[in-house]
mmCIF file of all heavy atoms in Angstrom:
data_model
loop_
_atom_site.group_PDB
_atom_site.id
_atom_site.type_symbol
_atom_site.label_atom_id
_atom_site.label_comp_id
_atom_site.label_asym_id
_atom_site.label_seq_id
_atom_site.Cartn_x
_atom_site.Cartn_y
_atom_site.Cartn_z
ATOM 1 N N ASP A 13 123.773 143.325 129.325
ATOM 2 C CA ASP A 13 124.552 142.670 130.378
ATOM 3 C C ASP A 13 125.100 141.320 129.922
ATOM 4 O O ASP A 13 124.990 140.970 128.756
ATOM 5 C CB ASP A 13 123.662 142.491 131.651
ATOM 6 C CG ASP A 13 122.466 141.611 131.383
ATOM 7 O OD1 ASP A 13 122.506 140.792 130.389
ATOM 8 O OD2 ASP A 13 121.488 141.637 132.181
ATOM 9 N N GLN A 14 125.646 140.621 130.893
ATOM 10 C CA GLN A 14 126.358 139.372 130.529
ATOM 11 C C GLN A 14 125.388 138.351 130.001
ATOM 12 O O GLN A 14 125.784 137.335 129.400
ATOM 13 C CB GLN A 14 127.133 138.825 131.663
ATOM 14 C CG GLN A 14 126.266 138.375 132.862
ATOM 15 C CD GLN A 14 126.113 139.492 133.886
ATOM 16 O OE1 GLN A 14 126.135 140.622 133.518
ATOM 17 N NE2 GLN A 14 125.898 139.100 135.135
ATOM 18 N N HIS A 15 124.055 138.534 130.229
ATOM 19 C CA HIS A 15 123.103 137.561 129.759
ATOM 20 C C HIS A 15 122.524 137.972 128.381
ATOM 21 O O HIS A 15 121.533 137.522 127.929
ATOM 22 C CB HIS A 15 121.963 137.455 130.794
ATOM 23 C CG HIS A 15 122.470 136.933 132.097
ATOM 24 N ND1 HIS A 15 122.962 135.663 132.272
ATOM 25 C CD2 HIS A 15 122.490 137.530 133.318
ATOM 26 C CE1 HIS A 15 123.287 135.525 133.545
ATOM 27 N NE2 HIS A 15 123.005 136.640 134.211
ATOM 28 N N HIS A 16 123.155 138.965 127.770
ATOM 29 C CA HIS A 16 122.767 139.381 126.420
ATOM 30 C C HIS A 16 121.341 139.963 126.419
ATOM 31 O O HIS A 16 120.555 139.627 125.572
ATOM 32 C CB HIS A 16 122.910 138.256 125.382
ATOM 33 C CG HIS A 16 124.305 137.661 125.388
ATOM 34 N ND1 HIS A 16 125.371 138.341 124.919
ATOM 35 C CD2 HIS A 16 124.715 136.442 125.827
ATOM 36 C CE1 HIS A 16 126.460 137.581 125.030
ATOM 37 N NE2 HIS A 16 126.111 136.414 125.574
ATOM 38 N N ALA A 17 121.024 140.845 127.311
ATOM 39 C CA ALA A 17 119.714 141.518 127.309
ATOM 40 C C ALA A 17 119.687 142.368 126.081
ATOM 41 O O ALA A 17 120.689 142.871 125.601
ATOM 42 C CB ALA A 17 119.596 142.398 128.572
ATOM 43 N N PRO A 18 118.499 142.554 125.495
ATOM 44 C CA PRO A 18 118.416 143.352 124.273
ATOM 45 C C PRO A 18 118.777 144.753 124.468
ATOM 46 O O PRO A 18 118.528 145.312 125.547
ATOM 47 C CB PRO A 18 116.845 143.205 123.937
ATOM 48 C CG PRO A 18 116.210 142.813 125.181
ATOM 49 C CD PRO A 18 117.150 141.989 125.947
ATOM 50 N N ALA A 19 119.432 145.311 123.510
ATOM 51 C CA ALA A 19 119.765 146.753 123.583
ATOM 52 C C ALA A 19 118.532 147.651 123.576
ATOM 53 O O ALA A 19 117.484 147.234 123.006
ATOM 54 C CB ALA A 19 120.714 147.100 122.416
ATOM 55 N N LEU A 20 118.628 148.764 124.176
ATOM 56 C CA LEU A 20 117.535 149.682 124.263
ATOM 57 C C LEU A 20 117.033 150.100 122.870
ATOM 58 O O LEU A 20 115.816 150.178 122.669
ATOM 59 C CB LEU A 20 117.890 150.907 125.127
ATOM 60 C CG LEU A 20 116.715 151.926 125.321
ATOM 61 C CD1 LEU A 20 115.465 151.333 125.827
ATOM 62 C CD2 LEU A 20 117.185 152.997 126.205
ATOM 63 N N TRP A 21 117.943 150.308 121.952
ATOM 64 C CA TRP A 21 117.491 150.738 120.634
ATOM 65 C C TRP A 21 116.648 149.624 119.951
ATOM 66 O O TRP A 21 115.620 149.974 119.241
ATOM 67 C CB TRP A 21 118.702 151.039 119.694
ATOM 68 C CG TRP A 21 119.482 149.882 119.189
ATOM 69 C CD1 TRP A 21 120.640 149.418 119.699
ATOM 70 C CD2 TRP A 21 119.156 149.042 118.088
ATOM 71 N NE1 TRP A 21 121.060 148.277 118.995
ATOM 72 C CE2 TRP A 21 120.192 148.050 117.984
ATOM 73 C CE3 TRP A 21 118.133 149.069 117.153
ATOM 74 C CZ2 TRP A 21 120.188 147.069 117.011
ATOM 75 C CZ3 TRP A 21 118.141 148.051 116.177
ATOM 76 C CH2 TRP A 21 119.191 147.084 116.081
ATOM 77 N N GLN A 22 116.868 148.418 120.251
ATOM 78 C CA GLN A 22 116.053 147.291 119.688
ATOM 79 C C GLN A 22 114.608 147.365 120.304
ATOM 80 O O GLN A 22 113.643 147.195 119.644
ATOM 81 C CB GLN A 22 116.638 145.933 120.025
ATOM 82 C CG GLN A 22 117.956 145.654 119.257
ATOM 83 C CD GLN A 22 118.562 144.328 119.708
ATOM 84 O OE1 GLN A 22 118.961 144.140 120.863
ATOM 85 N NE2 GLN A 22 118.619 143.386 118.751
ATOM 86 N N GLN A 23 114.581 147.609 121.624
ATOM 87 C CA GLN A 23 113.264 147.765 122.221
ATOM 88 C C GLN A 23 112.506 148.951 121.724
ATOM 89 O O GLN A 23 111.274 148.817 121.450
ATOM 90 C CB GLN A 23 113.482 147.880 123.792
ATOM 91 C CG GLN A 23 114.062 146.595 124.423
ATOM 92 C CD GLN A 23 114.118 146.724 125.892
ATOM 93 O OE1 GLN A 23 113.056 146.737 126.516
ATOM 94 N NE2 GLN A 23 115.277 146.805 126.471
ATOM 95 N N LEU A 24 113.195 150.053 121.570
ATOM 96 C CA LEU A 24 112.501 151.284 121.053
ATOM 97 C C LEU A 24 112.030 151.059 119.652
ATOM 98 O O LEU A 24 110.924 151.531 119.270
ATOM 99 C CB LEU A 24 113.469 152.475 121.107
ATOM 100 C CG LEU A 24 113.854 152.909 122.527
ATOM 101 C CD1 LEU A 24 114.840 154.090 122.440
ATOM 102 C CD2 LEU A 24 112.621 153.284 123.332
ATOM 103 N N ASP A 25 112.814 150.362 118.783
ATOM 104 C CA ASP A 25 112.365 150.060 117.419
ATOM 105 C C ASP A 25 111.125 149.208 117.449
ATOM 106 O O ASP A 25 110.158 149.430 116.711
ATOM 107 C CB ASP A 25 113.531 149.307 116.738
ATOM 108 C CG ASP A 25 113.148 149.046 115.270
ATOM 109 O OD1 ASP A 25 112.862 149.979 114.478
ATOM 110 O OD2 ASP A 25 113.169 147.819 114.888
ATOM 111 N N ALA A 26 111.095 148.174 118.362
ATOM 112 C CA ALA A 26 109.953 147.286 118.464
ATOM 113 C C ALA A 26 108.717 148.074 118.984
ATOM 114 O O ALA A 26 107.551 147.860 118.520
ATOM 115 C CB ALA A 26 110.265 146.098 119.327
ATOM 116 N N VAL A 27 108.924 148.933 119.922
ATOM 117 C CA VAL A 27 107.841 149.782 120.482
ATOM 118 C C VAL A 27 107.242 150.630 119.370
ATOM 119 O O VAL A 27 106.032 150.791 119.261
ATOM 120 C CB VAL A 27 108.321 150.626 121.638
ATOM 121 C CG1 VAL A 27 107.228 151.632 122.084
ATOM 122 C CG2 VAL A 27 108.725 149.771 122.880
ATOM 123 N N ALA A 28 108.136 151.283 118.612
ATOM 124 C CA ALA A 28 107.693 152.134 117.523
ATOM 125 C C ALA A 28 106.843 151.343 116.434
ATOM 126 O O ALA A 28 105.819 151.835 115.919
ATOM 127 C CB ALA A 28 108.847 152.840 116.833
ATOM 128 N N GLN A 29 107.297 150.173 116.160
ATOM 129 C CA GLN A 29 106.563 149.289 115.244
ATOM 130 C C GLN A 29 105.204 148.948 115.823
ATOM 131 O O GLN A 29 104.148 148.961 115.072
ATOM 132 C CB GLN A 29 107.330 148.026 114.884
ATOM 133 C CG GLN A 29 108.635 148.315 114.027
ATOM 134 C CD GLN A 29 109.313 146.989 113.720
ATOM 135 O OE1 GLN A 29 108.670 146.054 113.261
ATOM 136 N NE2 GLN A 29 110.621 146.905 113.967
ATOM 137 N N ALA A 30 105.150 148.586 117.110
ATOM 138 C CA ALA A 30 103.895 148.307 117.769
ATOM 139 C C ALA A 30 102.964 149.483 117.786
ATOM 140 O O ALA A 30 101.766 149.359 117.440
ATOM 141 C CB ALA A 30 104.149 147.783 119.134
ATOM 142 N N LEU A 31 103.524 150.665 118.093
ATOM 143 C CA LEU A 31 102.705 151.879 118.051
ATOM 144 C C LEU A 31 102.128 152.100 116.709
ATOM 145 O O LEU A 31 100.962 152.529 116.569
ATOM 146 C CB LEU A 31 103.532 153.062 118.568
ATOM 147 C CG LEU A 31 102.836 154.411 118.589
ATOM 148 C CD1 LEU A 31 101.632 154.371 119.504
ATOM 149 C CD2 LEU A 31 103.818 155.532 119.042
ATOM 150 N N HIS A 32 103.009 151.952 115.657
ATOM 151 C CA HIS A 32 102.477 152.154 114.273
ATOM 152 C C HIS A 32 101.311 151.206 113.985
ATOM 153 O O HIS A 32 100.307 151.669 113.367
ATOM 154 C CB HIS A 32 103.628 151.847 113.345
ATOM 155 C CG HIS A 32 103.249 151.967 111.881
ATOM 156 N ND1 HIS A 32 103.085 150.813 111.101
ATOM 157 C CD2 HIS A 32 103.019 152.984 111.090
ATOM 158 C CE1 HIS A 32 102.742 151.196 109.867
ATOM 159 N NE2 HIS A 32 102.697 152.516 109.830
ATOM 160 N N GLY A 33 101.371 149.992 114.466
ATOM 161 C CA GLY A 33 100.246 149.045 114.272
ATOM 162 C C GLY A 33 99.020 149.493 114.984
ATOM 163 O O GLY A 33 97.883 149.396 114.452
ATOM 164 N N ILE A 34 99.131 149.978 116.250
ATOM 165 C CA ILE A 34 98.002 150.367 116.988
ATOM 166 C C ILE A 34 97.336 151.604 116.336
ATOM 167 O O ILE A 34 96.080 151.695 116.197
ATOM 168 C CB ILE A 34 98.408 150.724 118.456
ATOM 169 C CG1 ILE A 34 98.762 149.383 119.191
ATOM 170 C CG2 ILE A 34 97.320 151.501 119.220
ATOM 171 C CD1 ILE A 34 99.390 149.595 120.556
ATOM 172 N N LEU A 35 98.145 152.563 115.874
ATOM 173 C CA LEU A 35 97.555 153.762 115.260
ATOM 174 C C LEU A 35 96.933 153.362 113.914
ATOM 175 O O LEU A 35 96.192 154.155 113.378
ATOM 176 C CB LEU A 35 98.648 154.833 115.031
ATOM 177 C CG LEU A 35 99.239 155.420 116.350
ATOM 178 C CD1 LEU A 35 100.334 156.418 116.122
ATOM 179 C CD2 LEU A 35 98.056 156.102 117.175
#
Side-chain angles (χ1 to χ4, degrees):
D13 62 20
Q14 65 270 26
H15 300 294
H16 304 291
L20 180 54
W21 73 263
Q22 292 177 295
Q23 296 186 67
L24 295 177
D25 181 59
V27 171
Q29 291 183 48
L31 179 60
H32 176 255
I34 289 170
L35 294 177

